[in-house]
Amino acid sequence: MNSVSRLSASRSSSETGWVAVTSCLWLLMASATLVESYAYRYAGAVLALIALYQYMKTAPHLPMDWRGWLCVAWGVYALGRFLIEFYLLPDHPAGDRELLFGIPLAFPLIAFIFFLCWQDMERIVAVYFGIALLTIATTTHYQLIFAGETVRPLIQHNQIHGAVCCGIILIAATCWMLHYRTTPNADKTLKLLSALITPPLIILCLIGIYGAKSKGVWLALGLTSPAIAFVILRDLRPRMGMLIIAGVAVILAFGVYAVRGNLERTAGQTVASTFFMLEDVKTGKTLDAAVSQTIDDHSTPLSMDERLQLWANAWEVYSTAPIFGWGNEWIVRWRHSHYTGVNYTLTHNGYLEILVRYGLAGAAFLSVMLFVFCRSVYQAASAAIIPRAALHAYFLILLFFAFTLLSNSNNRLAIGESLAILSAAVALACQLKLRSANSVVAARPQALQLT
């Protein structure tokens, strides 16, 4: 048995303390979806140190493969560019949260410790959903929601963050229950837990998303819903899947009808302003002119007006350095952009956040990284290393999150940072499991690589 296989082998009862510590750390890593804090950073740092210690104990040492080096290359580029521009440029620009883009440096280590904890993850996931149900059940202000007030779901800094987290939990819980509904030899206790926890958790998440009144999250969940329905139909028997989808659709239809007045007050004018702006473009106006007119129109809702100003500023900055972006210096250029009255530097669009800093080249590099991660998870599911439901959860959560980035810079928030770390860890750990499985099947010595 090679070194990687030995590391993932069954552990003795004397290692109960190790399991308890790492399990708590992984729960803290996922805690950003429940409580907006930096606990996941501290937990990630400890996990990385444990991974480094375990790696040094492994003989022979396992070299990183090209996927790990891809993450390191980006991290070195992002941090190196930040330091060079900070020290060499005369005004020493520090940007705004630029160091977040260097996090991929830690991806290989977090992936390695994820691989070592692989056999504990099913139980950790069950504990997480139990905590999620308790958290949302005890923090949801039901009376305020049904009175038409805006609330902050879970324990988040604002309602948008809470709504995004509710969407992620909803999708993950749906796939969690689907896994136990479609796996004949699944753990009976965990199967019962999923049946008890998931329905109320999904309902509370939907209530939280409605109460948050985040139009961007409503849109993101609506765009993701067909993919969720497809997964349900694919995993369950057609009749069962259709019954579930029809039941949910009927409940949602009644719910939407019951609160139609509140929905109109929340999103009606935004939809109307968007429609008029698109009509202007169709009638021959340039997009810039249509956006400017919408910003100047007093009937445009404040949130939409500010977002359009932010996006116009970001596009203006990006357009002057489209290939490689402005790095740290973007914040200096931002102060001289057209709409100086808006007080935010958070552009409320995750894609523009990347483009103004790193341009098309940086966006392309990060897209390649994302593709590599998704391919590794797909390959692991095809090889039955992870359940199909885990693959679906991975893709659906990333799809939903990608839609939320259209109207908010969630990649710069705690939820985005922790999601990036965990999604990378899962993907790279899957690749290491694939290599370990191939080594066993081949039955010959191989130098497996640290993903």
Side-chain angles (χ1 to χ4, degrees):
M1 184 184 295
N2 57 58
S3 55
V4 173
S5 298
R6 286 196 300 272
L7 283 171
S8 60
S10 298
R11 297 192 294 265
S12 65
S13 58
S14 63
E15 293 177 289
T16 303
W18 151 270
V19 174
V21 169
T22 54
S23 296
C24 289
L25 291 172
W26 284 116
L27 288 171
L28 286 173
M29 282 291 295
S31 67
T33 55
L34 308 176
V35 181
E36 191 165 0
S37 72
Y38 290 135
Y40 66 94
R41 288 187 181 179
Y42 307 127
V46 175
L47 283 170
L49 290 174
I50 295 174
L52 183 61
Y53 172 73
Q54 292 292 337
Y55 173 74
M56 297 305 295
K57 283 176 55 179
T58 305
H61 293 321
L62 307 172
M64 283 195 297
D65 78 346
W66 65 271
R67 298 166 187 83
W69 284 116
L70 198 66
C71 299
V72 171
W74 174 262
V76 169
Y77 170 71
L79 292 181
R81 180 171 178 175
F82 171 81
L83 293 173
I84 290 170
E85 292 179 349
F86 179 78
Y87 284 109
L88 295 184
L89 294 176
D91 49 356
H92 303 294
D96 184 15
R97 305 185 190 182
E98 306 305 298
L99 295 180
L100 293 179
F101 290 91
I103 287 176
L105 276 173
F107 287 174
L109 280 175
I110 302 297
F112 185 62
I113 193 64
F114 191 101
F115 169 74
L116 298 185
C117 299
W118 191 278
Q119 66 192 56
D120 304 313
M121 286 301 168
E122 186 177 17
R123 292 186 293 274
I124 293 172
V125 167
V127 172
Y128 166 79
F129 283 120
I131 295 173
L133 178 59
L134 290 174
T135 303
I136 195 169
T138 56
T139 60
T140 300
H141 302 285
Y142 306 100
Q143 290 181 330
L144 293 177
I145 291 174
F146 293 114
E149 300 293 328
T150 302
V151 302
R152 289 182 294 175
L154 301 162
I155 308 173
Q156 300 290 323
H157 290 170
N158 68 40
Q159 66 270 21
I160 298 175
H161 304 180
V164 172
C165 292
C166 283
I168 290 174
I169 295 169
L170 184 155
I171 293 170
T174 300
C175 294
W176 184 54
M177 185 172 67
L178 282 175
H179 166 64
Y180 289 105
R181 290 284 302 176
T182 57
T183 305
N185 59 344
D187 184 290
K188 293 182 179 179
T189 301
L190 296 181
K191 183 175 183 178
L192 177 61
L193 279 175
S194 73
L196 294 174
I197 290 174
T198 302
L201 183 56
I202 290 175
I203 292 171
L204 290 176
C205 284
L206 287 172
I207 292 174
I209 291 171
Y210 164 70
K213 296 185 180 179
S214 171
K215 298 177 285 294
V217 176
W218 291 355
L219 177 63
L221 190 59
L223 294 174
T224 311
S225 294
I228 298 173
F230 174 79
V231 166
I232 292 173
L233 286 173
R234 186 186 185 283
D235 285 1
L236 296 177
R237 292 191 300 272
R239 172 181 262 180
M240 176 68 72
M242 288 299 296
L243 285 174
I244 291 175
I245 293 171
V248 172
V250 169
I251 293 172
L252 286 177
F254 275 111
V256 168
Y257 180 78
V259 298
R260 62 192 183 281
N262 197 9
L263 293 176
E264 169 64 25
R265 288 190 296 273
T266 301
Q269 188 55 50
T270 300
V271 173
S273 296
T274 303
F275 175 79
F276 291 140
M277 182 174 64
L278 295 177
E279 280 294 310
D280 286 341
V281 174
K282 286 177 63 177
T283 56
K285 282 188 179 179
T286 65
L287 181 59
D288 288 345
V291 169
S292 297
Q293 180 172 315
T294 306
I295 291 172
D296 295 334
D297 190 338
H298 295 297
S299 66
T300 302
L302 178 62
S303 61
M304 180 179 178
D305 187 275
E306 289 183 336
R307 274 177 169 77
L308 289 176
Q309 292 183 56
L310 290 167
W311 297 347
N313 285 349
W315 189 258
E316 180 183 338
V317 173
Y318 157 72
S319 298
T320 57
I323 305 302
F324 295 104
W326 282 104
N328 314 356
E329 200 178 1
W330 75 271
I331 196 71
V332 178
R333 302 282 171 172
W334 181 273
R335 298 189 187 105
H336 301 286
S337 53
H338 184 71
Y339 295 102
T340 55
V342 66
N343 296 321
Y344 310 119
T345 57
L346 196 73
T347 63
H348 286 71
N349 183 291
Y351 305 105
L352 289 174
E353 294 278 0
I354 295 169
L355 289 173
V356 296
R357 290 168 170 81
Y358 302 108
L360 289 173
F365 195 101
L366 292 172
S367 298
V368 169
M369 286 176 59
L370 179 60
F371 173 79
V372 168
F373 293 161
C374 291
R375 186 171 182 271
S376 293
V377 175
Y378 176 78
Q379 288 176 328
S382 298
I385 288 174
I386 62 171
R388 298 293 296 183
L391 170 70
H392 296 152
Y394 190 89
F395 281 10
L396 289 174
I397 289 172
L398 289 181
L399 180 64
F400 167 75
F401 193 75
F403 285 135
T404 70
L405 294 182
L406 293 171
S407 60
N408 209 46
S409 300
N410 297 313
N411 50 332
R412 282 180 56 188
L413 305 177
I415 177 59
E417 186 178 343
S418 60
L419 180 62
I421 296 171
L422 288 172
S423 59
V426 170
L428 297 176
C430 281
Q431 194 63 43
L432 188 54
K433 288 291 286 187
L434 280 165
R435 291 175 176 273
S436 180
N438 291 338
S439 175
V440 172
V441 170
R444 64 175 182 266
Q446 289 185 4
L448 291 182
Q449 297 174 323
L450 172 59
T451 311

